[in-house]
Amino acid sequence: MGPLYDAVGVGMWAYSNAAFRVVALGPRRFRLEPRTLIVSTHRRETDVPVIGPLLYFGGRLWRHRDERMSFAARDDMFLPGFFAGFPPDLSPRVRRLLFPIGVRRFLPRVQVYPISSASVARTGELLHSRRESPLEEVVPVAVADEFRSRAADRGLPPPRRSGDALRGDYADLLWLPVTREEAPDLDGFWGARAATASANFRRLVDLVRGGGSLLVFPEGRPSPDGEIGPLRRGLAALVRRAKPEWFLPIALAYDRLRRGRTRVVVTVGPRVEPPTENVEEATLELLRRSTALTCGQYVAHELLSGRDPDAQGLRHAVEEARSEQRPVDPELLDSTQLRIRLVEAMAAAKRRPGELPLLAREYASARGL
């Protein structure tokens, strides 16, 4: 486990520094104390390779091997074909090439463990469970129609049995979520899934109670609209049963309103004692207050509010954040750099108008607006 864990830590560092300008707020060196629950906002699918190196190198985990954190990950990462089915913008050819590849056997070696829903599954999981059954008996009619439409578009024979649809040409469709209410009649499938979800949860509880550190994303998925939250159910139960000694909050703020690589401001800590009541509400407030103010947030909020961003307004936002002990992107603390960034962000906003709603919502959400 050691060499692979180290290789992944270094690989994530190389990727994140090539793809982003990462700015870390918080201590450069620290120790991950036993029974620490690391709770992070979830902004993009790239969050883990951004966060991972900061914890790996900051905690000197290549040296303190017994302090290495574990990760609670979405359980579909453990399914075959994840890299073909999950990413949204792959070409059909790439999906077919990636479909046979799975990483399930490697994930426990880097301390990645699944967290599951008892009532939601991927379409491919249902099809695997009833390979010989007619397609329309296993998945909702609308989903079955999507498979047949795809077959017609690509000149493929229409899938009749569930097993016919388990191929790379349908990889993205195999990742469509299906709820228990949408497919209630699968013999034993949902009961077995509930048992698996319970076992996965107990593994995470035992890991923390046994002295380990665990990174979780309480929101469950990257924010689709910039909102910080809501948190999915389960965090309170994890805190109650795992009894962590510490919370280590992490919050990310991606700012694309600039030239070149996206700037990511990551706030790490400080650690706090876990909340003892209203766990979800207290954790959400902690994550919001840990999210750094960026120039892009301010510019987007002002533009979508019908106002012209200016240096005075940005300085006021910085002063307000600091008075409330909320983190601020360090480049906004220098007056000259603040003005330069404001001009740069205004120009970028014209080139990337699609970024504005998410950044504006993040600005408001971090302030509870």
Side-chain angles (χ1 to χ4, degrees):
M1 174 165 56
L4 184 57
Y5 193 103
D6 293 331
V8 171
V10 173
M12 288 194 295
W13 174 85
Y15 163 76
S16 61
N17 281 275
F20 306 106
R21 298 178 182 177
V22 181
V23 178
L25 305 182
R28 290 180 57 84
R29 294 287 182 266
F30 52 85
R31 299 291 292 270
L32 282 178
E33 296 293 337
R35 296 173 66 175
T36 295
L37 191 62
I38 306 165
V39 291
S40 176
T41 59
H42 207 355
R43 314 311 293 162
R44 296 187 181 184
E45 295 296 347
T46 52
D47 289 348
V48 169
V50 170
I51 294 170
L54 299 178
L55 295 173
Y56 176 78
F57 289 103
R60 291 172 288 183
L61 300 183
W62 73 90
R63 177 183 300 169
H64 306 298
R65 293 175 179 268
D66 58 338
E67 297 176 11
R68 291 184 165 184
M69 63 194 167
S70 299
F71 302 81
R74 48 190 299 163
D75 64 336
D76 60 334
M77 285 184 64
F78 292 74
L79 298 177
F82 172 77
F83 292 110
F86 170 70
D89 300 317
L90 298 181
S91 69
R93 182 173 183 274
V94 171
R95 290 194 191 279
R96 289 194 298 270
L97 290 173
L98 292 176
F99 189 68
I101 299 174
V103 294
R104 179 189 183 102
R105 65 192 179 98
F106 299 107
L107 294 176
R109 294 170 60 186
V110 291
Q111 299 179 208
V112 177
Y113 303 104
I115 186 166
S116 311
S117 167
S119 58
V120 181
R122 300 294 170 178
T123 294
E125 295 177 272
L126 275 68
L127 300 181
H128 271 289
S129 74
R130 299 277 291 273
R131 297 176 68 100
E132 300 301 321
S133 299
L135 186 64
E136 63 274 4
E137 292 184 6
V138 179
V139 297
V141 172
V143 175
D145 288 343
E146 288 202 50
F147 279 94
R148 295 195 175 99
S149 176
R150 173 72 57 81
D153 290 343
R154 298 186 182 172
L156 302 171
R160 302 186 185 281
R161 299 177 305 113
S162 294
D164 297 337
L166 296 173
R167 53 186 292 176
D169 298 282
Y170 307 113
D172 54 325
L173 300 182
L174 296 175
W175 251 255
L176 293 174
V178 178
T179 67
R180 185 168 190 162
E181 290 74 20
E182 293 173 314
D185 300 325
L186 297 183
D187 296 339
F189 176 85
W190 293 109
R193 184 164 183 83
T196 298
S198 179
N200 290 341
F201 182 77
R202 287 197 302 272
R203 181 187 294 114
L204 300 180
V205 168
D206 292 343
L207 189 153
V208 176
R209 295 197 72 164
S213 296
L214 178 66
L215 171 63
V216 298
F217 294 95
E219 293 166 280
R221 62 169 183 165
S223 174
D225 58 5
E227 181 77 18
I228 303 170
L231 307 189
R232 292 193 175 182
R233 295 193 310 171
L235 180 66
L238 181 61
V239 171
R240 183 176 65 252
R241 294 182 56 183
K243 302 185 185 304
E245 293 284 344
W246 299 102
F247 260 28
L248 181 64
I250 295 180
L252 302 96
Y254 290 80
D255 189 351
R256 290 199 67 198
L257 296 188
R258 60 181 307 117
R259 290 191 298 269
R261 291 172 294 164
T262 297
R263 186 176 176 92
V264 191
V265 184
V266 187
T267 307
V268 180
R271 70 181 187 185
V272 297
E273 293 184 357
T276 56
E277 56 185 25
N278 301 321
V279 172
E280 280 89 357
E281 294 88 342
T283 302
L284 181 56
E285 176 63 17
L286 178 64
L287 293 176
R288 285 174 170 167
R289 292 186 62 84
S290 298
T291 300
L293 170 68
T294 68
C295 187
Q297 291 172 4
Y298 166 77
V299 167
H301 181 264
E302 293 299 289
L303 289 175
L304 294 189
S305 298
R307 295 185 292 267
D308 291 330
D310 57 35
Q312 182 179 352
L314 181 52
R315 280 194 293 269
H316 175 74
V318 170
E319 292 166 0
E320 181 181 58
R322 299 186 73 185
S323 70
E324 296 173 355
Q325 298 185 322
R326 289 188 285 110
V328 175
D329 187 339
E331 67 180 3
L332 302 182
L333 301 180
D334 177 83
S335 295
T336 301
Q337 187 64 28
L338 179 147
R339 289 193 295 271
I340 293 172
R341 275 293 296 120
L342 182 61
V343 172
E344 185 181 56
M346 290 288 289
K350 296 178 181 178
R351 300 192 306 269
R352 298 171 175 168
E355 297 291 329
L356 299 184
L358 276 75
L359 287 168
R361 188 60 219 146
E362 183 176 82
Y363 177 91
S365 181
R367 288 147 188 79
L369 302 178

